[in-house]
């Protein structure tokens, strides 16, 4: 089934995130598969945000809990590349490493205006200069992150943070996370 999603006619980011919330709800309506929903969501965010801001967003996607590494017995947790839009990306990220791993370990959104000032930044794409990472939390446990990169510094702000945190909550509730948890 192909979701019937109207394109956003937003003229600013506030309107974009209002439209995006409705678009994401439309994508997940009747669909619980996490791969499908994250793939469609990354496409909506990537193309929509570029259209409304004109900024060089070079990556939008998800990393999910890597069950082959993560275990309560060892205390080790890691993320593995999930659905995305953009250039080829890093495939594995340990909790606590880079922006994605730190956001996952600290269970909080990281809005990084200049990645070159972030200790331990992992440069999957040398063109990236700013980043925002939103953890996906289910029952108090991080099961993944939503990650966006931009080629300019200060590519993201608090409007992005609020909008993306809303998207993350919708996706966590809407998906069946078998295979991730």
């Amino acid at each position: 089934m192909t979701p019937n999603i109207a394109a956003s006619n937003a003229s600013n980011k506030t309107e974009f995130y209002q439209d995006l919330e409705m678009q994401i709800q439309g994508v997940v309506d009747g669909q619980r598969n996490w791969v499908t929903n994250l793939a469609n969501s990354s496409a909506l965010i990537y193309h929509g945000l570029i259209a409304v801001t004109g900024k060089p967003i070079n990556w939008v996607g998800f990393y999910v809990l890597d069950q082959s590494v993560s275990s309560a017995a060892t205390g080790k947790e890691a993320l593995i590349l999930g659905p995305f839009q953009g250039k080829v990306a890093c495939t594995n990220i340990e909790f606590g490493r880079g922006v994605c791993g730190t956001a996952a370990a600290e269970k909080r959104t990281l809005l990084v205006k200049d990645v070159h000032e972030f200790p331990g930044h992992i440069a999957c794409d040398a063109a990236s200069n700013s980043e925002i990472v939103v953890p996906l939390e289910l029952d108090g446990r991080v099961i993944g992150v939503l990650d966006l990169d931009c080629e300019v510094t200060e590519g993201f702000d608090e409007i992005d943070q609020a909008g993306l945190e809303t998207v993350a909550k919708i996706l966590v509730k809407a998906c069946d996370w078998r295979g991730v948890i």
Side-chain angles (χ1 to χ4, degrees), residues 4-8 10 13-29 41 44-45 48 159-171 173-174:
N4 186 14
I5 306 299
S8 176
K13 283 200 298 187
T14 301
E15 290 176 5
F16 165 72
Y17 283 110
Q18 291 168 348
D19 288 351
L20 181 63
E21 185 176 341
M22 290 185 298
Q23 290 174 323
I24 299 291
Q25 291 286 6
V27 163
V28 302
D29 184 34
S41 296
L44 285 170
I45 297 166
I159 294 171
D160 297 298
Q161 181 173 340
L164 295 169
E165 287 173 347
T166 298
V167 166
K169 288 175 186 170
I170 293 168
L171 291 170
K173 288 178 185 174

PDB file of all heavy atoms in Angstrom, residues 4-8 10 13-29 41 44-45 48 159-171 173-174:
ATOM      1  N   ASN A   4      -0.909   7.959   0.941  1.00  0.00           N
ATOM      2  CA  ASN A   4      -1.295   9.162   0.211  1.00  0.00           C
ATOM      3  C   ASN A   4      -0.872  10.369   1.044  1.00  0.00           C
ATOM      4  O   ASN A   4      -1.601  10.801   1.925  1.00  0.00           O
ATOM      5  CB  ASN A   4      -2.806   9.154  -0.040  1.00  0.00           C
ATOM      6  CG  ASN A   4      -3.237  10.308  -0.922  1.00  0.00           C
ATOM      7  OD1 ASN A   4      -2.407  10.962  -1.544  1.00  0.00           O
ATOM      8  ND2 ASN A   4      -4.532  10.541  -0.969  1.00  0.00           N
ATOM      9  N   ILE A   5       0.309  10.888   0.768  1.00  0.00           N
ATOM     10  CA  ILE A   5       0.890  11.966   1.558  1.00  0.00           C
ATOM     11  C   ILE A   5       0.971  13.227   0.708  1.00  0.00           C
ATOM     12  O   ILE A   5       1.644  13.247  -0.329  1.00  0.00           O
ATOM     13  CB  ILE A   5       2.315  11.596   2.047  1.00  0.00           C
ATOM     14  CG1 ILE A   5       2.312  10.260   2.784  1.00  0.00           C
ATOM     15  CG2 ILE A   5       2.898  12.704   2.908  1.00  0.00           C
ATOM     16  CD1 ILE A   5       1.454  10.206   4.012  1.00  0.00           C
ATOM     17  N   ALA A   6       0.307  14.271   1.163  1.00  0.00           N
ATOM     18  CA  ALA A   6       0.362  15.551   0.458  1.00  0.00           C
ATOM     19  C   ALA A   6       1.713  16.218   0.703  1.00  0.00           C
ATOM     20  O   ALA A   6       2.250  16.169   1.811  1.00  0.00           O
ATOM     21  CB  ALA A   6      -0.763  16.462   0.938  1.00  0.00           C
ATOM     22  N   ALA A   7       2.269  16.817  -0.320  1.00  0.00           N
ATOM     23  CA  ALA A   7       3.526  17.552  -0.182  1.00  0.00           C
ATOM     24  C   ALA A   7       3.304  18.775   0.699  1.00  0.00           C
ATOM     25  O   ALA A   7       2.232  19.367   0.715  1.00  0.00           O
ATOM     26  CB  ALA A   7       4.032  17.988  -1.550  1.00  0.00           C
ATOM     27  N   SER A   8       4.332  19.134   1.430  1.00  0.00           N
ATOM     28  CA  SER A   8       4.255  20.312   2.286  1.00  0.00           C
ATOM     29  C   SER A   8       4.349  21.580   1.448  1.00  0.00           C
ATOM     30  O   SER A   8       5.158  21.666   0.530  1.00  0.00           O
ATOM     31  CB  SER A   8       5.399  20.295   3.309  1.00  0.00           C
ATOM     32  OG  SER A   8       5.387  21.480   4.078  1.00  0.00           O
ATOM     33  N   ALA A  10       4.877  24.428   3.108  1.00  0.00           N
ATOM     34  CA  ALA A  10       5.372  25.297   4.171  1.00  0.00           C
ATOM     35  C   ALA A  10       6.301  26.378   3.624  1.00  0.00           C
ATOM     36  O   ALA A  10       7.089  26.133   2.706  1.00  0.00           O
ATOM     37  CB  ALA A  10       6.106  24.470   5.222  1.00  0.00           C
ATOM     38  N   LYS A  13      10.127  26.874   8.730  1.00  0.00           N
ATOM     39  CA  LYS A  13      10.333  25.606   9.427  1.00  0.00           C
ATOM     40  C   LYS A  13       9.217  25.269  10.406  1.00  0.00           C
ATOM     41  O   LYS A  13       8.881  24.096  10.566  1.00  0.00           O
ATOM     42  CB  LYS A  13      11.682  25.606  10.160  1.00  0.00           C
ATOM     43  CG  LYS A  13      12.843  25.389   9.231  1.00  0.00           C
ATOM     44  CD  LYS A  13      14.073  24.912   9.923  1.00  0.00           C
ATOM     45  CE  LYS A  13      14.576  25.902  10.933  1.00  0.00           C
ATOM     46  NZ  LYS A  13      15.878  25.512  11.490  1.00  0.00           N
ATOM     47  N   THR A  14       8.633  26.250  11.047  1.00  0.00           N
ATOM     48  CA  THR A  14       7.541  25.966  11.976  1.00  0.00           C
ATOM     49  C   THR A  14       6.393  25.297  11.241  1.00  0.00           C
ATOM     50  O   THR A  14       5.867  24.266  11.680  1.00  0.00           O
ATOM     51  CB  THR A  14       7.080  27.252  12.687  1.00  0.00           C
ATOM     52  OG1 THR A  14       8.199  27.812  13.388  1.00  0.00           O
ATOM     53  CG2 THR A  14       5.955  26.962  13.658  1.00  0.00           C
ATOM     54  N   GLU A  15       6.015  25.859  10.088  1.00  0.00           N
ATOM     55  CA  GLU A  15       4.957  25.261   9.269  1.00  0.00           C
ATOM     56  C   GLU A  15       5.386  23.891   8.743  1.00  0.00           C
ATOM     57  O   GLU A  15       4.578  22.958   8.681  1.00  0.00           O
ATOM     58  CB  GLU A  15       4.615  26.164   8.086  1.00  0.00           C
ATOM     59  CG  GLU A  15       3.901  27.439   8.453  1.00  0.00           C
ATOM     60  CD  GLU A  15       3.681  28.350   7.251  1.00  0.00           C
ATOM     61  OE1 GLU A  15       4.009  27.959   6.094  1.00  0.00           O
ATOM     62  OE2 GLU A  15       3.181  29.470   7.455  1.00  0.00           O
ATOM     63  N   PHE A  16       6.656  23.772   8.355  1.00  0.00           N
ATOM     64  CA  PHE A  16       7.169  22.494   7.850  1.00  0.00           C
ATOM     65  C   PHE A  16       6.983  21.395   8.886  1.00  0.00           C
ATOM     66  O   PHE A  16       6.511  20.302   8.565  1.00  0.00           O
ATOM     67  CB  PHE A  16       8.650  22.601   7.457  1.00  0.00           C
ATOM     68  CG  PHE A  16       9.300  21.252   7.271  1.00  0.00           C
ATOM     69  CD1 PHE A  16       8.989  20.471   6.160  1.00  0.00           C
ATOM     70  CD2 PHE A  16      10.190  20.763   8.207  1.00  0.00           C
ATOM     71  CE1 PHE A  16       9.564  19.216   5.998  1.00  0.00           C
ATOM     72  CE2 PHE A  16      10.774  19.515   8.051  1.00  0.00           C
ATOM     73  CZ  PHE A  16      10.468  18.739   6.943  1.00  0.00           C
ATOM     74  N   TYR A  17       7.358  21.663  10.127  1.00  0.00           N
ATOM     75  CA  TYR A  17       7.252  20.619  11.149  1.00  0.00           C
ATOM     76  C   TYR A  17       5.801  20.298  11.495  1.00  0.00           C
ATOM     77  O   TYR A  17       5.490  19.154  11.836  1.00  0.00           O
ATOM     78  CB  TYR A  17       8.088  20.966  12.381  1.00  0.00           C
ATOM     79  CG  TYR A  17       9.557  20.711  12.140  1.00  0.00           C
ATOM     80  CD1 TYR A  17      10.473  21.752  12.029  1.00  0.00           C
ATOM     81  CD2 TYR A  17      10.037  19.411  11.974  1.00  0.00           C
ATOM     82  CE1 TYR A  17      11.809  21.513  11.782  1.00  0.00           C
ATOM     83  CE2 TYR A  17      11.372  19.164  11.714  1.00  0.00           C
ATOM     84  CZ  TYR A  17      12.253  20.217  11.622  1.00  0.00           C
ATOM     85  OH  TYR A  17      13.573  19.967  11.361  1.00  0.00           O
ATOM     86  N   GLN A  18       4.910  21.257  11.361  1.00  0.00           N
ATOM     87  CA  GLN A  18       3.478  20.969  11.524  1.00  0.00           C
ATOM     88  C   GLN A  18       3.006  20.036  10.412  1.00  0.00           C
ATOM     89  O   GLN A  18       2.306  19.049  10.672  1.00  0.00           O
ATOM     90  CB  GLN A  18       2.663  22.269  11.530  1.00  0.00           C
ATOM     91  CG  GLN A  18       2.893  23.123  12.749  1.00  0.00           C
ATOM     92  CD  GLN A  18       2.300  24.529  12.612  1.00  0.00           C
ATOM     93  OE1 GLN A  18       1.900  24.965  11.532  1.00  0.00           O
ATOM     94  NE2 GLN A  18       2.254  25.246  13.724  1.00  0.00           N
ATOM     95  N   ASP A  19       3.409  20.335   9.183  1.00  0.00           N
ATOM     96  CA  ASP A  19       3.067  19.469   8.055  1.00  0.00           C
ATOM     97  C   ASP A  19       3.724  18.096   8.200  1.00  0.00           C
ATOM     98  O   ASP A  19       3.100  17.062   7.935  1.00  0.00           O
ATOM     99  CB  ASP A  19       3.516  20.087   6.728  1.00  0.00           C
ATOM    100  CG  ASP A  19       2.684  21.283   6.301  1.00  0.00           C
ATOM    101  OD1 ASP A  19       1.642  21.558   6.940  1.00  0.00           O
ATOM    102  OD2 ASP A  19       3.089  21.950   5.321  1.00  0.00           O
ATOM    103  N   LEU A  20       4.981  18.096   8.623  1.00  0.00           N
ATOM    104  CA  LEU A  20       5.723  16.843   8.757  1.00  0.00           C
ATOM    105  C   LEU A  20       5.046  15.911   9.755  1.00  0.00           C
ATOM    106  O   LEU A  20       4.957  14.698   9.512  1.00  0.00           O
ATOM    107  CB  LEU A  20       7.170  17.108   9.177  1.00  0.00           C
ATOM    108  CG  LEU A  20       8.058  15.874   9.329  1.00  0.00           C
ATOM    109  CD1 LEU A  20       8.218  15.147   7.987  1.00  0.00           C
ATOM    110  CD2 LEU A  20       9.422  16.275   9.882  1.00  0.00           C
ATOM    111  N   GLU A  21       4.566  16.463  10.847  1.00  0.00           N
ATOM    112  CA  GLU A  21       3.873  15.632  11.832  1.00  0.00           C
ATOM    113  C   GLU A  21       2.684  14.908  11.181  1.00  0.00           C
ATOM    114  O   GLU A  21       2.494  13.705  11.379  1.00  0.00           O
ATOM    115  CB  GLU A  21       3.405  16.496  13.003  1.00  0.00           C
ATOM    116  CG  GLU A  21       2.795  15.704  14.123  1.00  0.00           C
ATOM    117  CD  GLU A  21       2.417  16.552  15.323  1.00  0.00           C
ATOM    118  OE1 GLU A  21       2.925  17.687  15.480  1.00  0.00           O
ATOM    119  OE2 GLU A  21       1.602  16.069  16.130  1.00  0.00           O
ATOM    120  N   MET A  22       1.915  15.624  10.392  1.00  0.00           N
ATOM    121  CA  MET A  22       0.768  15.005   9.701  1.00  0.00           C
ATOM    122  C   MET A  22       1.234  13.994   8.648  1.00  0.00           C
ATOM    123  O   MET A  22       0.634  12.930   8.481  1.00  0.00           O
ATOM    124  CB  MET A  22      -0.114  16.077   9.063  1.00  0.00           C
ATOM    125  CG  MET A  22      -0.868  16.907  10.093  1.00  0.00           C
ATOM    126  SD  MET A  22      -2.028  18.086   9.371  1.00  0.00           S
ATOM    127  CE  MET A  22      -0.952  19.147   8.437  1.00  0.00           C
ATOM    128  N   GLN A  23       2.326  14.321   7.943  1.00  0.00           N
ATOM    129  CA  GLN A  23       2.852  13.399   6.937  1.00  0.00           C
ATOM    130  C   GLN A  23       3.338  12.098   7.581  1.00  0.00           C
ATOM    131  O   GLN A  23       3.073  11.010   7.065  1.00  0.00           O
ATOM    132  CB  GLN A  23       4.000  14.051   6.167  1.00  0.00           C
ATOM    133  CG  GLN A  23       3.571  15.171   5.259  1.00  0.00           C
ATOM    134  CD  GLN A  23       4.759  15.886   4.638  1.00  0.00           C
ATOM    135  OE1 GLN A  23       5.794  16.066   5.268  1.00  0.00           O
ATOM    136  NE2 GLN A  23       4.598  16.283   3.383  1.00  0.00           N
ATOM    137  N   ILE A  24       4.055  12.227   8.700  1.00  0.00           N
ATOM    138  CA  ILE A  24       4.548  11.035   9.391  1.00  0.00           C
ATOM    139  C   ILE A  24       3.378  10.198   9.892  1.00  0.00           C
ATOM    140  O   ILE A  24       3.381   8.966   9.765  1.00  0.00           O
ATOM    141  CB  ILE A  24       5.487  11.413  10.570  1.00  0.00           C
ATOM    142  CG1 ILE A  24       6.725  12.174  10.063  1.00  0.00           C
ATOM    143  CG2 ILE A  24       5.886  10.179  11.379  1.00  0.00           C
ATOM    144  CD1 ILE A  24       7.713  11.402   9.256  1.00  0.00           C
ATOM    145  N   GLN A  25       2.360  10.852  10.436  1.00  0.00           N
ATOM    146  CA  GLN A  25       1.163  10.122  10.872  1.00  0.00           C
ATOM    147  C   GLN A  25       0.554   9.372   9.685  1.00  0.00           C
ATOM    148  O   GLN A  25       0.112   8.231   9.824  1.00  0.00           O
ATOM    149  CB  GLN A  25       0.127  11.071  11.482  1.00  0.00           C
ATOM    150  CG  GLN A  25       0.534  11.673  12.799  1.00  0.00           C
ATOM    151  CD  GLN A  25       0.479  10.708  13.972  1.00  0.00           C
ATOM    152  OE1 GLN A  25       0.231   9.517  13.850  1.00  0.00           O
ATOM    153  NE2 GLN A  25       0.741  11.239  15.153  1.00  0.00           N
ATOM    154  N   GLY A  26       0.541   9.991   8.516  1.00  0.00           N
ATOM    155  CA  GLY A  26       0.011   9.335   7.324  1.00  0.00           C
ATOM    156  C   GLY A  26       0.842   8.145   6.888  1.00  0.00           C
ATOM    157  O   GLY A  26       0.310   7.114   6.464  1.00  0.00           O
ATOM    158  N   VAL A  27       2.153   8.264   6.991  1.00  0.00           N
ATOM    159  CA  VAL A  27       3.057   7.176   6.619  1.00  0.00           C
ATOM    160  C   VAL A  27       2.871   5.967   7.538  1.00  0.00           C
ATOM    161  O   VAL A  27       2.871   4.827   7.076  1.00  0.00           O
ATOM    162  CB  VAL A  27       4.534   7.664   6.650  1.00  0.00           C
ATOM    163  CG1 VAL A  27       5.511   6.508   6.691  1.00  0.00           C
ATOM    164  CG2 VAL A  27       4.818   8.552   5.457  1.00  0.00           C
ATOM    165  N   VAL A  28       2.731   6.200   8.819  1.00  0.00           N
ATOM    166  CA  VAL A  28       2.664   5.089   9.773  1.00  0.00           C
ATOM    167  C   VAL A  28       1.256   4.521   9.942  1.00  0.00           C
ATOM    168  O   VAL A  28       1.092   3.445  10.512  1.00  0.00           O
ATOM    169  CB  VAL A  28       3.239   5.483  11.163  1.00  0.00           C
ATOM    170  CG1 VAL A  28       4.686   5.944  11.027  1.00  0.00           C
ATOM    171  CG2 VAL A  28       2.396   6.539  11.861  1.00  0.00           C
ATOM    172  N   ASP A  29       0.263   5.234   9.435  1.00  0.00           N
ATOM    173  CA  ASP A  29      -1.113   4.765   9.563  1.00  0.00           C
ATOM    174  C   ASP A  29      -1.272   3.402   8.880  1.00  0.00           C
ATOM    175  O   ASP A  29      -1.085   3.285   7.667  1.00  0.00           O
ATOM    176  CB  ASP A  29      -2.077   5.784   8.949  1.00  0.00           C
ATOM    177  CG  ASP A  29      -3.532   5.399   9.134  1.00  0.00           C
ATOM    178  OD1 ASP A  29      -3.871   4.797  10.176  1.00  0.00           O
ATOM    179  OD2 ASP A  29      -4.336   5.702   8.232  1.00  0.00           O
ATOM    180  N   SER A  41      10.048   7.987   6.539  1.00  0.00           N
ATOM    181  CA  SER A  41      10.231   9.192   7.357  1.00  0.00           C
ATOM    182  C   SER A  41      11.520   9.914   7.006  1.00  0.00           C
ATOM    183  O   SER A  41      11.544  11.146   6.924  1.00  0.00           O
ATOM    184  CB  SER A  41      10.204   8.832   8.845  1.00  0.00           C
ATOM    185  OG  SER A  41       8.939   8.322   9.203  1.00  0.00           O
ATOM    186  N   LEU A  44      10.882  11.851   3.836  1.00  0.00           N
ATOM    187  CA  LEU A  44      10.063  13.045   4.065  1.00  0.00           C
ATOM    188  C   LEU A  44      10.872  14.163   4.710  1.00  0.00           C
ATOM    189  O   LEU A  44      10.776  15.329   4.313  1.00  0.00           O
ATOM    190  CB  LEU A  44       8.867  12.702   4.959  1.00  0.00           C
ATOM    191  CG  LEU A  44       7.736  11.919   4.304  1.00  0.00           C
ATOM    192  CD1 LEU A  44       6.747  11.436   5.361  1.00  0.00           C
ATOM    193  CD2 LEU A  44       7.028  12.765   3.256  1.00  0.00           C
ATOM    194  N   ILE A  45      11.658  13.826   5.710  1.00  0.00           N
ATOM    195  CA  ILE A  45      12.456  14.838   6.418  1.00  0.00           C
ATOM    196  C   ILE A  45      13.522  15.423   5.484  1.00  0.00           C
ATOM    197  O   ILE A  45      13.668  16.636   5.366  1.00  0.00           O
ATOM    198  CB  ILE A  45      13.111  14.247   7.684  1.00  0.00           C
ATOM    199  CG1 ILE A  45      12.039  13.794   8.683  1.00  0.00           C
ATOM    200  CG2 ILE A  45      14.045  15.274   8.334  1.00  0.00           C
ATOM    201  CD1 ILE A  45      12.570  12.890   9.795  1.00  0.00           C
ATOM    202  N   GLY A  48      11.904  17.372   2.450  1.00  0.00           N
ATOM    203  CA  GLY A  48      11.118  18.500   2.940  1.00  0.00           C
ATOM    204  C   GLY A  48      11.962  19.592   3.553  1.00  0.00           C
ATOM    205  O   GLY A  48      11.753  20.783   3.297  1.00  0.00           O
ATOM    206  N   ILE A 159      13.990  24.982  16.739  1.00  0.00           N
ATOM    207  CA  ILE A 159      12.774  24.633  16.003  1.00  0.00           C
ATOM    208  C   ILE A 159      12.915  23.219  15.441  1.00  0.00           C
ATOM    209  O   ILE A 159      11.997  22.402  15.537  1.00  0.00           O
ATOM    210  CB  ILE A 159      12.476  25.659  14.887  1.00  0.00           C
ATOM    211  CG1 ILE A 159      12.146  27.023  15.493  1.00  0.00           C
ATOM    212  CG2 ILE A 159      11.343  25.165  13.976  1.00  0.00           C
ATOM    213  CD1 ILE A 159      12.059  28.148  14.480  1.00  0.00           C
ATOM    214  N   ASP A 160      14.089  22.932  14.880  1.00  0.00           N
ATOM    215  CA  ASP A 160      14.359  21.574  14.390  1.00  0.00           C
ATOM    216  C   ASP A 160      14.286  20.581  15.542  1.00  0.00           C
ATOM    217  O   ASP A 160      13.697  19.503  15.408  1.00  0.00           O
ATOM    218  CB  ASP A 160      15.743  21.499  13.744  1.00  0.00           C
ATOM    219  CG  ASP A 160      15.872  22.387  12.526  1.00  0.00           C
ATOM    220  OD1 ASP A 160      15.138  22.169  11.551  1.00  0.00           O
ATOM    221  OD2 ASP A 160      16.708  23.314  12.563  1.00  0.00           O
ATOM    222  N   GLN A 161      14.896  20.930  16.651  1.00  0.00           N
ATOM    223  CA  GLN A 161      14.909  20.021  17.792  1.00  0.00           C
ATOM    224  C   GLN A 161      13.495  19.658  18.225  1.00  0.00           C
ATOM    225  O   GLN A 161      13.173  18.473  18.374  1.00  0.00           O
ATOM    226  CB  GLN A 161      15.680  20.639  18.971  1.00  0.00           C
ATOM    227  CG  GLN A 161      15.742  19.722  20.171  1.00  0.00           C
ATOM    228  CD  GLN A 161      16.648  20.240  21.271  1.00  0.00           C
ATOM    229  OE1 GLN A 161      17.516  21.087  21.047  1.00  0.00           O
ATOM    230  NE2 GLN A 161      16.471  19.706  22.465  1.00  0.00           N
ATOM    231  N   ALA A 162      12.641  20.646  18.418  1.00  0.00           N
ATOM    232  CA  ALA A 162      11.270  20.384  18.857  1.00  0.00           C
ATOM    233  C   ALA A 162      10.518  19.536  17.820  1.00  0.00           C
ATOM    234  O   ALA A 162       9.830  18.569  18.179  1.00  0.00           O
ATOM    235  CB  ALA A 162      10.537  21.693  19.111  1.00  0.00           C
ATOM    236  N   GLY A 163      10.651  19.876  16.547  1.00  0.00           N
ATOM    237  CA  GLY A 163       9.957  19.135  15.500  1.00  0.00           C
ATOM    238  C   GLY A 163      10.423  17.698  15.381  1.00  0.00           C
ATOM    239  O   GLY A 163       9.614  16.769  15.235  1.00  0.00           O
ATOM    240  N   LEU A 164      11.732  17.501  15.459  1.00  0.00           N
ATOM    241  CA  LEU A 164      12.284  16.156  15.318  1.00  0.00           C
ATOM    242  C   LEU A 164      12.004  15.295  16.549  1.00  0.00           C
ATOM    243  O   LEU A 164      11.823  14.077  16.435  1.00  0.00           O
ATOM    244  CB  LEU A 164      13.786  16.228  15.024  1.00  0.00           C
ATOM    245  CG  LEU A 164      14.119  16.883  13.677  1.00  0.00           C
ATOM    246  CD1 LEU A 164      15.616  17.158  13.571  1.00  0.00           C
ATOM    247  CD2 LEU A 164      13.627  16.031  12.510  1.00  0.00           C
ATOM    248  N   GLU A 165      11.963  15.914  17.723  1.00  0.00           N
ATOM    249  CA  GLU A 165      11.602  15.159  18.917  1.00  0.00           C
ATOM    250  C   GLU A 165      10.156  14.663  18.834  1.00  0.00           C
ATOM    251  O   GLU A 165       9.849  13.547  19.253  1.00  0.00           O
ATOM    252  CB  GLU A 165      11.837  16.001  20.179  1.00  0.00           C
ATOM    253  CG  GLU A 165      13.313  16.144  20.500  1.00  0.00           C
ATOM    254  CD  GLU A 165      13.614  17.097  21.649  1.00  0.00           C
ATOM    255  OE1 GLU A 165      12.710  17.870  22.067  1.00  0.00           O
ATOM    256  OE2 GLU A 165      14.775  17.087  22.126  1.00  0.00           O
ATOM    257  N   THR A 166       9.280  15.463  18.253  1.00  0.00           N
ATOM    258  CA  THR A 166       7.894  15.033  18.037  1.00  0.00           C
ATOM    259  C   THR A 166       7.844  13.863  17.062  1.00  0.00           C
ATOM    260  O   THR A 166       7.155  12.864  17.298  1.00  0.00           O
ATOM    261  CB  THR A 166       7.032  16.207  17.530  1.00  0.00           C
ATOM    262  OG1 THR A 166       7.011  17.227  18.531  1.00  0.00           O
ATOM    263  CG2 THR A 166       5.611  15.768  17.220  1.00  0.00           C
ATOM    264  N   VAL A 167       8.592  13.959  15.972  1.00  0.00           N
ATOM    265  CA  VAL A 167       8.661  12.875  14.988  1.00  0.00           C
ATOM    266  C   VAL A 167       9.152  11.591  15.659  1.00  0.00           C
ATOM    267  O   VAL A 167       8.588  10.511  15.448  1.00  0.00           O
ATOM    268  CB  VAL A 167       9.579  13.260  13.808  1.00  0.00           C
ATOM    269  CG1 VAL A 167       9.940  12.050  12.958  1.00  0.00           C
ATOM    270  CG2 VAL A 167       8.925  14.335  12.957  1.00  0.00           C
ATOM    271  N   ALA A 168      10.194  11.695  16.466  1.00  0.00           N
ATOM    272  CA  ALA A 168      10.747  10.516  17.139  1.00  0.00           C
ATOM    273  C   ALA A 168       9.691   9.838  18.008  1.00  0.00           C
ATOM    274  O   ALA A 168       9.558   8.607  17.997  1.00  0.00           O
ATOM    275  CB  ALA A 168      11.967  10.909  17.970  1.00  0.00           C
ATOM    276  N   LYS A 169       8.934  10.616  18.750  1.00  0.00           N
ATOM    277  CA  LYS A 169       7.887  10.045  19.616  1.00  0.00           C
ATOM    278  C   LYS A 169       6.821   9.331  18.796  1.00  0.00           C
ATOM    279  O   LYS A 169       6.361   8.243  19.173  1.00  0.00           O
ATOM    280  CB  LYS A 169       7.263  11.137  20.478  1.00  0.00           C
ATOM    281  CG  LYS A 169       8.185  11.629  21.564  1.00  0.00           C
ATOM    282  CD  LYS A 169       7.576  12.795  22.332  1.00  0.00           C
ATOM    283  CE  LYS A 169       8.602  13.351  23.309  1.00  0.00           C
ATOM    284  NZ  LYS A 169       8.160  14.606  23.912  1.00  0.00           N
ATOM    285  N   ILE A 170       6.412   9.923  17.689  1.00  0.00           N
ATOM    286  CA  ILE A 170       5.411   9.297  16.821  1.00  0.00           C
ATOM    287  C   ILE A 170       5.928   7.950  16.322  1.00  0.00           C
ATOM    288  O   ILE A 170       5.223   6.935  16.368  1.00  0.00           O
ATOM    289  CB  ILE A 170       5.056  10.213  15.625  1.00  0.00           C
ATOM    290  CG1 ILE A 170       4.331  11.471  16.113  1.00  0.00           C
ATOM    291  CG2 ILE A 170       4.219   9.458  14.592  1.00  0.00           C
ATOM    292  CD1 ILE A 170       4.207  12.549  15.043  1.00  0.00           C
ATOM    293  N   LEU A 171       7.165   7.936  15.843  1.00  0.00           N
ATOM    294  CA  LEU A 171       7.732   6.711  15.284  1.00  0.00           C
ATOM    295  C   LEU A 171       7.901   5.620  16.336  1.00  0.00           C
ATOM    296  O   LEU A 171       7.619   4.446  16.066  1.00  0.00           O
ATOM    297  CB  LEU A 171       9.066   7.009  14.593  1.00  0.00           C
ATOM    298  CG  LEU A 171       8.949   7.835  13.317  1.00  0.00           C
ATOM    299  CD1 LEU A 171      10.320   8.279  12.835  1.00  0.00           C
ATOM    300  CD2 LEU A 171       8.212   7.047  12.231  1.00  0.00           C
ATOM    301  N   LYS A 173       6.145   5.085  18.991  1.00  0.00           N
ATOM    302  CA  LYS A 173       4.822   4.538  19.321  1.00  0.00           C
ATOM    303  C   LYS A 173       4.228   3.737  18.163  1.00  0.00           C
ATOM    304  O   LYS A 173       3.515   2.767  18.382  1.00  0.00           O
ATOM    305  CB  LYS A 173       3.856   5.656  19.698  1.00  0.00           C
ATOM    306  CG  LYS A 173       4.143   6.279  21.040  1.00  0.00           C
ATOM    307  CD  LYS A 173       3.176   7.408  21.332  1.00  0.00           C
ATOM    308  CE  LYS A 173       3.553   8.102  22.632  1.00  0.00           C
ATOM    309  NZ  LYS A 173       2.735   9.298  22.875  1.00  0.00           N
ATOM    310  N   ALA A 174       4.515   4.127  16.938  1.00  0.00           N
ATOM    311  CA  ALA A 174       3.843   3.552  15.778  1.00  0.00           C
ATOM    312  C   ALA A 174       4.456   2.246  15.282  1.00  0.00           C
ATOM    313  O   ALA A 174       3.798   1.502  14.563  1.00  0.00           O
ATOM    314  CB  ALA A 174       3.834   4.562  14.627  1.00  0.00           C
TER     315      ALA A 174
END
